[in-house]
Amino acid sequence: MWRFLKNWALPVAMLVGAIGYPVLIHLSFLTPYLLFVMLFVTFCKMSFSELKPKPLHGWLLLIQVAGAIGGYFLLYRMNKIVAEAVMVCILCPTATAAAVITSKLGGNAATLTTYTLLSNIMAALIVPVLFPLVEYHPDMDFWQSFGLILSRVFPLLILPFLVAFALKAWMPRWHQRIADLQDLAFYLWAFSLSIVTAQTLSPLLNDPTDGKIKVVIALAALGCCVVQFFIGKNLGEVWGERISGGQALGQKNTILAIWMAHAYLQPLSAVGPGAYVLWQNLINSWQLWKKRRRELPGK
């Protein structure tokens, strides 16, 4: 049973979120706390001595920021909601689970883990500046919006790393106990995914917008996903990090992206990262299938 749940965690969590939508939507306030704990557990499992920035990381960060801004300006005259969905799909930092997939695919987990931290720092710095410019709130000026988003996003993304670092330095025994909790992040991820599924369903069910725009957003998310995996792999190949580059740029913390879109942008834009969950997991499943096929005798 446990093996089944781990192998099918994505559809099971999303199904629970869809069925339990009327209840789970009221638990959306838990999302930032769950994200904090997930990142904290992930950073506790890091070997800080292996966190070494590389030229590849700089190029990936540049593509992530420039791609988000460029994608928004390319699309906002056509449809602002689609533009916001594309922006958040590109700007969102790397998923905490990406290191696990990278290892299974034979990539460098240390390179990926370093980029996970760097992309979180980048998001904490860029989001408070960019989002108030994109989505104007008449009840507050730019600096008020900047301060509000900074006060919520920066601690959520950076504080987990600082706490994990301090715990390792001053309370190594407790740090090791947390690092040994192999399945904690998995449980939290599954629960969080159920909640954000309910959050994603909210604008879909309650927003009167024509269903065509939702299809366009989902297809735009597919384009973002494929392009980011493609660019990441080809850029990573230059430094002999093809797998790590692809996962770093393509596999996103969609739970965080849905929360950010729902909290600071037009709620319907959350359909983008909601669809991205499906697309990136289809790509990951295909990559893992290809690797298993190559490893079979006679193949």
Side-chain angles (χ1 to χ4, degrees):
M1 180 65 178
W2 175 240
R3 181 184 295 274
F4 172 82
L5 289 176
K6 295 202 77 171
N7 290 339
W8 298 94
L10 171 67
V12 169
M14 295 180 73
L15 181 62
V16 169
I19 295 174
Y21 158 75
V23 175
L24 291 172
I25 191 64
H26 298 293
L27 300 179
S28 58
F29 70 93
L30 292 175
T31 303
Y33 302 103
L34 292 169
L35 286 167
F36 180 98
V37 177
M38 278 190 291
L39 284 171
F40 170 65
V41 172
T42 299
F43 292 146
C44 280
K45 294 180 180 180
M46 286 183 178
S47 174
F48 293 111
S49 61
E50 296 180 351
L51 300 180
K52 299 176 181 178
K54 302 177 179 180
L56 173 62
H57 295 140
W59 282 104
L60 292 173
L61 288 172
L62 178 62
I63 291 170
Q64 204 165 332
V65 176
I69 296 173
Y72 176 80
F73 279 107
L74 182 66
L75 296 171
Y76 87 102
R77 290 186 182 276
M78 298 167 55
N79 190 290
K80 193 169 186 288
I81 299 177
V82 176
E84 289 183 4
V86 167
M87 178 186 69
V88 77
C89 283
I90 299 174
L91 189 62
C92 179
T94 305
T96 55
V100 177
I101 301 297
T102 300
S103 296
K104 288 183 177 181
L105 291 172
N108 189 329
T111 296
L112 195 286
T113 302
T114 302
Y115 187 73
T116 300
L117 175 60
L118 293 175
S119 64
N120 275 277
I121 294 173
M122 178 275 298
L125 295 174
I126 297 296
V127 167
V129 177
L130 189 58
F131 281 17
L133 295 174
V134 167
E135 196 58 48
Y136 172 70
H137 295 280
D139 56 331
M140 61 181 70
D141 61 23
F142 169 81
W143 290 109
Q144 288 175 313
S145 297
F146 172 82
L148 176 63
I149 298 176
L150 180 66
S151 67
R152 293 180 179 177
V153 173
F154 194 87
L156 175 66
L157 298 182
I158 305 306
L159 195 57
F161 171 76
L162 298 177
V163 174
F165 185 83
L167 196 67
K168 184 174 184 178
W170 297 326
M171 303 176 70
R173 187 171 299 178
W174 278 100
H175 177 272
Q176 188 57 49
R177 287 183 180 180
I178 294 172
D180 289 340
L181 296 174
Q182 298 291 331
D183 294 325
L184 178 58
F186 170 77
Y187 286 123
L188 292 172
W189 173 81
F191 183 46
S192 300
L193 186 56
S194 295
I195 293 176
V196 299
T197 298
Q199 283 183 279
T200 305
L201 280 176
S202 179
L204 290 176
L205 297 177
N206 300 317
D207 195 295
T209 305
D210 190 339
K212 290 182 180 179
I213 189 64
K214 298 166 187 174
V215 174
V216 171
I217 293 173
L219 292 176
L222 173 60
C224 288
C225 188
V226 172
V227 168
Q228 287 186 103
F229 270 102
F230 177 80
I231 293 176
K233 283 180 176 293
N234 284 276
L235 186 60
E237 193 168 22
V238 176
W239 281 275
E241 299 268 14
R242 180 176 174 82
I243 295 173
S244 302
Q247 297 306 123
L249 202 59
Q251 189 172 349
K252 300 293 188 177
N253 188 343
T254 48
I255 293 174
L256 174 64
I258 292 170
W259 175 73
M260 289 193 301
H262 191 78
Y264 304 116
L265 301 173
Q266 296 190 50
L268 195 59
S269 66
V271 174
Y276 200 103
V277 175
L278 175 63
W279 306 136
Q280 74 175 10
N281 279 280
L282 286 174
I283 291 176
N284 283 335
S285 298
W286 175 68
Q287 291 182 127
L288 290 169
W289 174 81
K290 281 182 60 181
K291 184 174 186 295
R292 287 194 296 267
R293 184 176 173 84
R294 287 196 301 265
E295 291 172 349
L296 287 175
K299 295 291 183 181

